[in-house]
Amino acid sequence: MNVLAEAITALRKARHVAVFTGAGISAESGIPTFRDRLTGLWARHDPERLETAKAFKEHPQLVWGWYLWRRQQVLQAQPNPAHLAIARLADVGRENTVITQNIDDLHERAGSQGVVHLHGSLLTPKCFACHRPAELTQEQLATPAEGALIEPPRCARCNGRLRPGVVWFGEDLPAGAWKAATQAARSCDVMLSIGTSGVVMPAARLPDLALAAGATIIHVNRVDVRLHQPKELMLIGLAGQLVPHLIDLMLAG
Ligand code: NAD
């Protein structure tokens, strides 16, 4: 049996399918991944160095400008066929959990419900000091020129600076999201892991947890990201093409 046929068989037999996504699933919607080379003024910056509390403390205007720009990219993007195909998995009457490392809302806009966001969301700012969620005015949301320095708005309660509601490097994942994700990893029969390099911890442990609990992992990626365990299937190609194909074939059976 070839790998695609094995993947379809595993999906058809599964009672619980967990879908685990990374930045690669949104790449075909026009949102760059971490590994993509940035263009324009942001090319001077390493995204990983902008995504820490230390960077925000030292350069709040730079980091806030970077997130406003990324937020605009997300709002202009549309879900692609991979996001849409994943939403169709919920219609087949078996347990399905969507876990994402992404900070965009493309799974929700494609129709997936109850998405577990391990790294928060670009669209929900909060206070850096008191952590309360905050609303931004239209004026505060105006898209800056690429690379612009923008002073973050202030919290209405404590006057702290507002920050994006995402999990930065070195910060803990939201406890509820991590619990839901590990429970799904331990109880699923198949984990469909799409567009993730598997290097950002602790999220990257989820496929290991699923494998240890006996699940099959189906990776979909442009490159081979196998962990070299027995129950892994690797589909190499673009998520926007492979995922709809896989789910069409699964549902046709
Ligand atoms: P990553 O950038 O480390 O890796 C992306 C992976 O996707 C790579 O393995 C790459 O080969 C693969 N890929 C790229 N294009 C693809 C395509 N069209 N089809 C299939 N695979 C493709 O991303 P990560 O593993 O998610 O981890 C990095 C962190 O980046 C996460 O914490 C996430 O929060 C953050 N991030 C999120 C977004 C977003 O929300 N869309 C964008 C950039 C970074």
Side-chain angles (χ1 to χ4, degrees), residues 64 71 103 117 119-127 131-136 141 162-166:
W64 187 251
R71 178 185 170 116
I103 54 178
H117 276 273
H119 293 160
S121 165
L122 264 177
L123 309 175
T124 54
K126 61 183 182 181
C127 176
H131 311 297
R132 285 196 184 86
E135 296 279 332
L136 297 180
L141 284 171
L162 298 188
R163 57 163 282 180
V166 301

Side-chain angles (χ1 to χ4, degrees), residues 34-35 45-52 55 66 169 199-200:
F34 260 164
R35 320 293 147 187
H45 299 283
D46 175 355
E48 295 193 33
R49 296 192 57 190
L50 292 171
E51 305 200 359
T52 64
W66 155 249
F169 288 103
V199 295
V200 176

Side-chain angles (χ1 to χ4, degrees), residues 188-211:
C188 68
D189 306 294
V190 170
M191 177 175 276
L192 189 51
S193 176
I194 307 165
T196 177
S197 56
V199 295
V200 176
M201 289 293 175
R205 281 181 46 220
L206 291 174
D208 289 320
L209 289 180
L211 281 168

Side-chain angles (χ1 to χ4, degrees), residues 19-34:
V19 180
F20 175 51
T21 64
I25 195 172
S26 297
E28 288 160 80
S29 295
I31 303 176
T33 72
F34 260 164

Side-chain angles (χ1 to χ4, degrees), residues 31-234:
I31 303 176
T33 72
F34 260 164
R35 320 293 147 187
D36 288 329
R37 191 178 260 279
L38 291 175
T39 54
L41 292 172
W42 288 120
R44 285 186 282 125
H45 299 283
D46 175 355
E48 295 193 33
R49 296 192 57 190
L50 292 171
E51 305 200 359
T52 64
K54 183 169 177 282
F56 185 73
K57 272 190 209 149
E58 289 172 0
H59 309 288
Q61 296 89 354
L62 177 71
V63 175
W64 187 251
W66 155 249
Y67 276 99
L68 278 184
W69 179 73
R70 289 185 69 191
R71 178 185 170 116
Q72 191 58 25
Q73 269 188 333
V74 165
L75 292 176
Q76 284 170 352
Q78 296 301 325
N80 67 52
H83 297 103
L84 294 166
I86 288 166
R88 283 165 48 214
L89 274 178
D91 300 336
V92 294
R94 63 186 90 181
E95 202 177 344
N96 169 232
T97 314
V98 180
I99 305 158
T100 190
Q101 298 168 84
N102 293 344
I103 54 178
D104 62 45
D105 63 345
L106 296 184
H107 282 301
E108 283 88 346
R109 281 198 267 144
S112 287
Q113 294 185 358
V115 179
V116 178
H117 276 273
L118 292 176
H119 293 160
S121 165
L122 264 177
L123 309 175
T124 54
K126 61 183 182 181
C127 176
F128 187 70
C130 73
H131 311 297
R132 285 196 184 86
E135 296 279 332
L136 297 180
T137 63
Q138 281 309 315
E139 201 182 325
Q140 289 166 337
L141 284 171
T143 316
E146 211 172 307
L149 303 179
I150 309 283
E151 178 59 30
R154 295 282 173 165
C155 172
R157 297 226 192 184
C158 77
N159 203 37
R161 283 194 169 102
L162 298 188
R163 57 163 282 180
V166 301
V167 177
W168 279 329
F169 288 103
E171 292 183 328
D172 290 337
L173 304 194
W178 183 241
K179 189 173 173 198
T182 52
Q183 275 173 351
R186 290 196 177 100
S187 66
C188 68
D189 306 294
V190 170
M191 177 175 276
L192 189 51
S193 176
I194 307 165
T196 177
S197 56
V199 295
V200 176
M201 289 293 175
R205 281 181 46 220
L206 291 174
D208 289 320
L209 289 180
L211 281 168
T216 298
I217 308 286
I218 304 171
H219 300 279
V220 177
N221 203 301
R222 279 192 324 202
V223 297
D224 190 341
V225 290
R226 268 174 303 178
L227 305 163
H228 302 292
Q229 301 287 322
K231 290 181 80 175
E232 282 184 293
L233 301 171
M234 181 71 233

